[in-house]
Amino acid sequence: MILDSKIPEGPLAEKWDKHKFNVKLVNPANKRKYDVIIVGTGLAGASAAASLAELGYNVKAFTYHDSPRRAHSIAAQGGINAAKNYQNDGDSVYRLFYDTIKGGDYRAREANVYRLAQVSVNIIDQCVAQGVPFAREYGGLLANRSFGGAQVSRTFYARGQTGQQLLLGAYSALSRQVAYGKVKLYTRSEMLDLVVVDGQARGIITRNLITGEIEQHAAHAVVLATGGYGNVFYLSTNAKYCNATAAWRAHKKGAFFANPCFTQIHPTCIPVSGDYQSKLTLMSESLRNDGRVWVPASKETAERLRKGEIRVSDIKEEDRDYFLERKYPAFGNLVPRDVASRNAKQMCDEGRGVGGSGLAVFLDFADVIKRNGAEWVSQKYGNLFDMYAKITGENPYEQPMRIYPAVHYTMGGLWVDYNLQTTIPGLYATGECNFSDHGANRLGASALMQGLADGYFVIPYTIGDYLAQTAPKPVTTEHPAFKEAEAEVHARVQKLMSINGTRTPADFHKALGHIMWEYCGMARNAEGLQHAKAEIQKLRREFWSDLKLTGTDQEMNQMLESAGRVADFLELGELMIDDAYNRNESCGGHFREEYQTPEGEALRDDENFTYVAAWQFNGENQPEILNKEELRFENVKLTQRSYK
Amino acid sequence: MAGSNPNAKPMNLTLKVWRQRNRNTAGSIVDYQVKDISPDMSFLEMLDVLNEDLLRQGEEPVAFDHDCREGICGSCNLFINGRAHGPEAGTTTCQLHMRKFSDGDTITIEPWRSAAFPVNKDLSVDRSAFDRIIQAGGYISINTGGTPDANEIPIPKDIADRAFEAATCIACGACVASCKNSSAMLFVSAKVSQLALLPQGHVERKTRVENMVAQMDKEGFGACSNIGSCAAECPVGISLENIAIMNREYINAKATSNNLA
Ligand SMILES: Cc1cc2nc3c(=O)[nH]c(=O)nc-3n(C[C@H](O)[C@H](O)[C@H](O)COP(=O)(O)OP(=O)(O)OC[C@H]3O[C@@H](n4cnc5c(N)ncnc54)[C@H](O)[C@@H]3O)c2cc1C
Ligand code: SF4
Ligand code: FES
């Protein structure tokens, strides 16, 4: 199949304005005749729901949370980028565009990224008008900070709680439309399937998580804003409930899945402390400005430390290996995320890791404390040090932090064209759920920007274009496709409930996470990926014959919810492996050990892999079909990213 | 696998857990034993251990709400040994760790108790009343687009900082659960004062406070008798100052009401 990305003609800087002029409009009186379903009320979903309702459409918004305000977006810490150039330091729409394309290692679409940079400035205006309390300078104007991958200061923030404040802004706009009756809110309601009628998305099937009831909902168009799938690895910095079910169900109904193997692994997270570990917590990257990363120089010392025979302070300076400073004298501890992550893993693989499990390295602040004093450090990083102390019970002012890389974000997602429409007409995907803007690696503070750009400023135009070409006739759930989809969902729930085996959903999820992390994590190779594929297929068979659940499906049953999500992860995981196996190059977060420079840097193959891999479902247990969208770079020159 | 502290001793605990099938049935406390609990576990990870054990034994796991496990989403909400979010001040249930307990302890775990928060199942309660209060006026009535440049509205840093402090409420409901009157004043006042402090919120300040207070009363939350247990138990430190601001806003609004509703 030829993938048409529908990128408008014309110069880069004019594409979006031209497109906005060319799209068809729905006349104001007709808007109320259209129903739109939005699944997800995070930044991407809440902003879209509010904006579409304000325009006059009837919106039905769904979330499995008990309130829209609890979406995972709430947890974002660092900030949101925008090309405001308030600091007069040389920022511009073009520079934000360029940084994002380059940061993504040249695997994103130019036109989408340029539009993102363009509307970024409107986002900040919108949020301030809503009452989002961004950080300010003494003169009363907005403050900015710097983030990785940029040489300008363009990140807006609200202390370490930017995601929370932005989401509460979008939630307030959404709540206002609920009060007006323009948005009907369905909380604790999980989408379990998409309904396609005559090739067009026309509704969804949900399960009420309190009563267990399966329900049908119809609309003229469906938007998925259901977040990322990092939890396929079991342990990640994502919230516990983040999952791929909505996107995966849509994929199986015909929506292509793009670049599934592009995952971002963040180098500085609090390490796993035991088998019971349920999630991982991020420690801001900014800590690497002042902390020094090291492990014991010898395996023996590391082992004695792990056993508690010696203490950190017993290890002499010459017995410590500051491996980043040693291997990358130019960048030192500030090498890019992927390099820092891979090196930490390598040290632990060599048996030189620290902590009880041996899967951690030190991030040491002793030098800076000696140099500038504990008070200075506390001013700068106090909240992070406190959070670390609360979780680990250790005082990072007195002993080095233990850190380890963790899965953080998924650049891959549902394939969408320039209009954010998937390969199913009438089905749209926004926010982390789609693949569109970050290529093979996302820059910090750009996910919040993308979610809000999609919801406030892109979808309101592009969905109108589609609806204008759809008859404003009322939609109902009468078509047999609804009954069929409901029956499928029902059968699946019954199947899960009746296996009656011995292993819990978490048991399978952990086993899957282990396979994914080992073979499709920070470093991948063809042999390992093939092995992992077989392992996942085996695990999937075990899941469907040995799962244990209790209770019934006619009530709140959190283990049943979890089982359904794990079942989908078990399929998505295999596709991620296929994608990683297919991409015979290293780029951004995708590091194939076979493809590296002599210095161990990622080696892209622009000749053969400057494309988006868009996978097409082809029947249960059948290999998926690979479709390629060639990426054309007309404005930036492709260069090898250098870390030296 | 050993924990981060190789010398930390695992604990055995007795749990007294509220079990309730659904909103319409009566509940009761049931005793459970959990063994080999690492002091490095979070409280919710300890409950995960209990639930995995229960499921393997063919029993029904305990339902409880959680998600981010980082203290920010406001989902977790356990009443532990008679205190909202447990014994550690300024901490949500998910950030509470087992090193705060000792081997042999008995721990009582109950849901939030308030007529306005009916129990869904076991420890999970329905807090949608909070959403309805926000829907009654917890916003600034502007549409997407057409807003002025963000720097056209300078806001003094101290005002912006105070608005931010009020805006950090995570809507967990601990204030309600800790109040003998089940009052939601701290929650409501946090939003009212955030928007009353900011110039963008001034246009609607009168109708906002009146409508939100009316909805709060309608939801069945109790009156405030100024005891302050709400602020004492709030995990993010929302201050009582907000209640004072809200009272002022309310009196002012009532005196000069332009609320036609
Ligand atoms: C710890 C952490 C810190 C971060 N910090 C930053 C940062 O500083 N800057 C930045 O730019 N980015 C950051 N990110 C990334 C960013 O937070 C996310 O990418 C972004 O918030 C995703 O928003 P979203 O709206 O796409 O999805 P989410 O916020 O995840 O929302 C998903 C929504 O979909 C709903 N949903 C999902 N599936 C279903 C279903 N089947 N049925 C019904 N509802 C469903 C959920 O209930 C939820 O409402 C961070 C991420 C993490 C993990
Ligand atoms: S005011 Fe505090 S205790 Fe009350 S809901 Fe908000 S965060 Fe929770
Ligand atoms: S689980 Fe999110 S605040 Fe506790």
Side-chain angles (χ1 to χ4, degrees):
Chain A
M1 176 176 166
I2 308 264
L3 281 168
D4 181 3
S5 53
K6 304 220 172 85
I7 296 171
E9 294 297 316
L12 187 63
E14 292 168 23
K15 285 180 194 287
W16 179 231
D17 283 342
K18 269 203 182 141
H19 189 62
K20 281 197 288 187
F21 179 73
N22 287 332
V23 295
K24 298 197 175 49
L25 300 176
V26 178
N27 107 35
N30 267 351
K31 288 205 174 86
R32 65 187 161 74
K33 295 181 185 158
Y34 291 102
D35 298 338
V36 180
I37 283 175
I38 297 178
V39 189
T41 60
L43 285 177
S47 56
S51 305
L52 291 176
E54 288 161 8
L55 288 173
Y57 299 110
N58 300 310
V59 175
K60 298 182 191 176
F62 294 82
T63 165
Y64 54 66
H65 286 101
D66 67 333
S67 163
R69 63 183 295 152
R70 307 214 198 277
H72 169 58
S73 294
I74 202 97
Q77 305 170 351
I80 177 168
N81 289 330
K84 280 287 198 185
N85 194 29
Y86 280 165
Q87 306 306 322
N88 194 29
D89 59 357
D91 200 10
S92 63
V93 166
Y94 195 87
R95 189 178 292 282
L96 176 53
F97 153 75
Y98 181 77
D99 287 349
T100 308
I101 284 279
K102 180 178 167 209
D105 219 358
Y106 307 97
R107 292 294 175 262
R109 238 185 242 150
E110 280 190 342
N112 282 61
V113 175
Y114 194 86
R115 175 179 64 191
L116 175 66
Q118 276 179 305
V119 303
S120 69
V121 297
N122 304 111
I123 295 173
I124 304 304
D125 300 342
Q126 187 65 33
C127 296
V128 166
Q130 287 169 344
V132 169
F134 283 122
R136 287 177 184 268
E137 306 290 356
Y138 282 100
L141 300 183
L142 292 164
N144 288 119
R145 54 165 67 139
S146 308
F147 246 69
Q151 289 165 310
V152 295
S153 209
R154 63 158 79 98
T155 306
F156 295 79
Y157 62 98
R159 209 167 294 168
Q161 285 153 256
T162 317
Q164 178 192 40
Q165 295 308 316
L166 294 174
L167 182 60
L168 293 182
Y171 161 75
S172 72
L174 171 66
S175 298
R176 175 170 161 249
Q177 295 305 315
V178 173
Y180 289 168
K182 289 303 292 179
V183 174
K184 187 155 167 39
L185 193 58
Y186 296 82
T187 57
R188 296 215 197 238
S189 193
E190 180 167 29
M191 167 186 163
L192 292 181
D193 213 344
L194 177 76
V195 182
V196 180
V197 175
D198 302 329
Q200 292 180 313
R202 269 300 154 88
I204 59 171
I205 307 294
T206 60
R207 180 169 178 271
N208 179 318
L209 299 181
I210 301 294
T211 64
E213 211 170 316
I214 311 282
E215 296 165 5
Q216 309 174 353
H217 302 274
H220 294 89
V222 177
V223 181
L224 298 187
T226 49
Y229 53 90
N231 277 351
V232 75
F233 291 86
Y234 186 69
L235 290 180
S236 82
T237 60
N238 289 10
K240 278 296 281 176
Y241 286 157
C242 290
N243 70 83
T245 288
W248 190 251
R249 299 275 115 207
H251 173 58
K252 293 181 85 170
K253 283 280 163 85
F256 293 4
F257 210 108
N259 300 333
C261 82
F262 287 171
T263 37
Q264 179 165 79
I265 290 167
H266 202 295
T268 52
C269 302
I270 300 179
V272 174
S273 72
D275 286 334
Y276 50 79
Q277 188 90 25
S278 60
K279 74 151 296 174
L280 295 169
T281 302
L282 183 71
M283 283 282 106
S284 171
E285 189 168 59
S286 59
L287 290 170
R288 280 197 283 142
N289 280 295
D290 290 299
R292 298 179 69 194
V293 179
W294 65 276
V295 290
S298 81
K299 223 171 115 171
E300 293 68 37
T301 314
E303 204 171 289
R304 291 182 59 204
L305 185 68
R306 288 199 295 270
K307 284 189 182 145
E309 293 168 12
I310 53 171
R311 281 180 312 202
V312 185
S313 51
D314 298 332
I315 304 176
K316 289 204 267 325
E317 198 58 29
E318 58 268 29
D319 295 331
R320 302 175 174 199
D321 179 11
Y322 296 88
F323 55 93
L324 291 178
E325 296 172 22
R326 172 172 58 80
K327 290 170 78 171
Y328 306 93
F331 272 69
N333 294 295
L334 278 175
V335 289
R337 281 182 183 181
D338 48 348
V339 180
S341 293
R342 274 198 299 280
N343 275 281
K345 177 180 189 297
Q346 200 190 332
M347 295 304 126
C348 298
D349 289 350
E350 285 174 17
R352 296 199 279 142
V354 300
S357 64
L359 288 176
V361 301
F362 287 129
L363 180 61
D364 200 333
F365 296 88
D367 280 359
V368 66
I369 291 175
K370 208 182 291 162
R371 214 165 45 237
N372 298 344
E375 182 53 33
W376 184 90
V377 173
S378 156
Q379 284 288 328
K380 214 165 162 188
Y381 306 118
N383 61 333
L384 292 168
F385 275 49
D386 289 349
M387 176 144 72
Y388 182 87
K390 210 172 254 180
I391 291 174
T392 63
E394 293 171 2
N395 182 347
Y397 292 99
E398 285 168 7
Q399 63 188 98
M401 283 187 180
R402 291 168 297 108
I403 51 149
Y404 200 64
V407 174
H408 182 58
Y409 182 87
T410 49
M411 281 75 70
L414 292 179
W415 184 89
V416 288
D417 63 17
Y418 188 72
N419 295 317
L420 305 182
Q421 184 166 254
T422 68
T423 47
I424 302 176
L427 179 70
Y428 292 76
T430 60
E432 193 172 342
C433 177
N434 74 26
F435 89 106
S436 68
D437 295 352
H438 307 294
N441 175 55
R442 174 178 71 80
L443 290 185
S446 284
L448 302 182
M449 170 173 71
Q450 184 224 331
L452 290 180
D454 289 357
Y456 285 135
F457 297 111
V458 179
I459 205 85
Y461 292 91
T462 60
I463 211 169
D465 189 42
Y466 172 79
L467 293 172
Q469 301 171 62
T470 309
K473 284 188 308 218
V475 282
T476 67
T477 55
E478 243 136 62
H479 194 280
F482 279 92
K483 221 175 233 121
E484 267 166 44
E486 184 185 316
E488 275 171 38
V489 166
H490 220 96
R492 204 175 139 81
V493 168
Q494 293 310 321
K495 174 91 215 270
L496 289 168
M497 290 305 303
S498 63
I499 298 170
N500 220 347
T502 62
R503 293 173 65 182
T504 66
D507 212 15
F508 286 105
H509 197 172
K510 282 181 193 178
L512 171 66
H514 185 76
I515 298 170
M516 295 302 295
W517 181 243
E518 246 353 91
Y519 301 105
C520 199
M522 274 183 281
R524 301 136 180 210
N525 62 59
E527 198 189 331
L529 288 164
Q530 270 176 315
H531 173 75
K533 186 174 166 80
E535 290 280 297
I536 289 189
Q537 289 174 343
K538 185 161 148 264
L539 189 64
R540 203 161 58 224
R541 283 194 296 274
E542 286 167 14
F543 176 89
W544 286 105
S545 63
D546 198 19
L547 175 73
K548 182 162 189 81
L549 292 175
T550 52
T552 74
D553 60 318
Q554 298 296 312
E555 61 183 336
M556 189 171 178
N557 189 335
Q558 293 174 316
M559 291 290 179
L560 170 62
E561 292 164 29
S562 165
R565 295 165 189 165
V566 173
D568 289 334
F569 279 142
L570 280 164
E571 296 178 7
L572 169 59
E574 187 177 345
L575 185 64
M576 291 168 71
I577 283 172
D578 288 343
D579 188 44
Y581 183 77
N582 169 70
R583 193 168 279 277
N584 290 321
E585 65 162 349
S586 295
C587 59
H590 170 64
F591 189 79
R592 278 282 299 271
E593 286 166 341
E594 304 96 315
Y595 308 100
Q596 48 180 308
T597 65
E599 301 87 49
E601 292 173 18
L603 189 59
R604 269 195 346 254
D605 178 355
D606 291 334
E607 200 166 319
N608 295 303
F609 287 95
T610 309
Y611 67 75
V612 175
W615 297 88
Q616 179 178 5
F617 183 71
N618 189 34
E620 296 291 344
N621 295 314
Q622 295 299 314
E624 297 219 358
I625 298 165
L626 172 63
N627 299 273
K628 298 178 184 175
E629 180 202 337
E630 296 297 335
L631 291 168
R632 269 186 297 278
F633 291 90
E634 291 162 355
N635 299 276
V636 300
K637 221 173 116 246
L638 275 63
T639 54
Q640 199 75 39
R641 290 190 313 176
S642 169
Y643 307 147
K644 303 249 164 179
Chain B
M1 211 190 297
S4 60
N5 175 0
N7 302 320
K9 277 219 190 64
M11 302 180 274
N12 295 335
L13 305 162
T14 302
L15 305 180
K16 291 181 162 305
V17 183
W18 183 260
R19 302 299 311 253
Q20 181 172 342
R21 187 133 216 117
N22 55 42
R23 190 171 298 200
N24 306 317
T25 53
S28 63
I29 293 276
V30 179
D31 290 9
Y32 299 99
Q33 308 294 323
V34 283
K35 295 203 164 60
D36 289 334
I37 296 300
S38 158
D40 288 327
M41 278 184 194
S42 71
F43 195 84
L44 298 185
E45 284 168 345
M46 183 274 293
L47 284 183
D48 290 342
V49 169
L50 169 69
N51 277 346
E52 288 293 296
D53 283 352
L54 288 174
L55 186 55
R56 282 201 195 90
Q57 292 156 19
E59 288 179 49
E60 274 195 55
V62 180
F64 64 91
D65 283 320
H66 66 98
D67 194 18
C68 73
R69 297 199 175 194
E70 284 187 14
I72 192 79
C73 75
S75 296
C76 62
N77 55 346
L78 300 180
F79 211 66
I80 302 165
N81 286 342
R83 289 187 65 183
H85 294 303
E88 195 179 359
T91 306
T92 55
T93 302
C94 60
Q95 292 293 82
L96 177 65
H97 279 70
M98 295 313 293
R99 61 183 77 92
K100 298 283 163 194
F101 298 89
S102 313
D103 188 33
D105 276 0
T106 296
I107 307 175
T108 305
I109 311 171
E110 294 167 277
W112 283 176
R113 306 257 186 219
S114 164
F117 292 158
V119 171
N120 294 316
K121 183 175 183 176
D122 300 334
L123 304 170
S124 165
V125 300
D126 180 346
R127 287 170 286 185
S128 52
F130 273 5
D131 284 328
R132 290 188 292 273
I133 293 173
I134 298 295
Q135 285 156 18
Y139 41 75
I140 292 169
S141 298
I142 49 136
N143 287 350
T144 301
T147 50
D149 183 88
N151 262 352
E152 270 180 36
I153 321 169
I155 301 173
K157 186 170 165 26
D158 58 323
I159 297 286
D161 287 348
R162 278 168 68 200
F164 170 82
E165 291 294 345
T168 58
C169 163
I170 60 175
C172 63
C175 45
V176 175
S178 311
C179 173
K180 67 177 174 50
N181 307 327
S182 265
S183 167
M185 283 290 272
L186 196 62
F187 166 79
V188 180
S189 69
K191 187 49 72 182
V192 166
S193 67
Q194 175 204 341
L195 298 180
L197 282 163
L198 295 170
Q200 303 94 301
H202 284 183
V203 179
E204 298 167 283
R205 66 199 290 181
K206 292 180 188 170
T207 47
R208 177 180 305 119
V209 66
E210 286 185 279
N211 291 344
M212 288 180 76
V213 168
Q215 188 66 34
M216 172 179 88
D217 293 342
K218 203 166 128 193
E219 295 290 347
F221 292 104
C224 173
S225 45
N226 290 315
I227 296 164
S229 27
C230 50
E233 298 291 7
C234 172
V236 300
I238 298 296
S239 117
L240 287 174
E241 183 208 10
N242 293 299
I243 297 187
I245 294 179
M246 175 156 109
N247 284 334
R248 224 163 41 230
E249 289 288 310
Y250 189 73
I251 291 165
N252 186 36
K254 279 289 169 208
T256 60
S257 182
N258 51 11
N259 192 356
L260 304 176

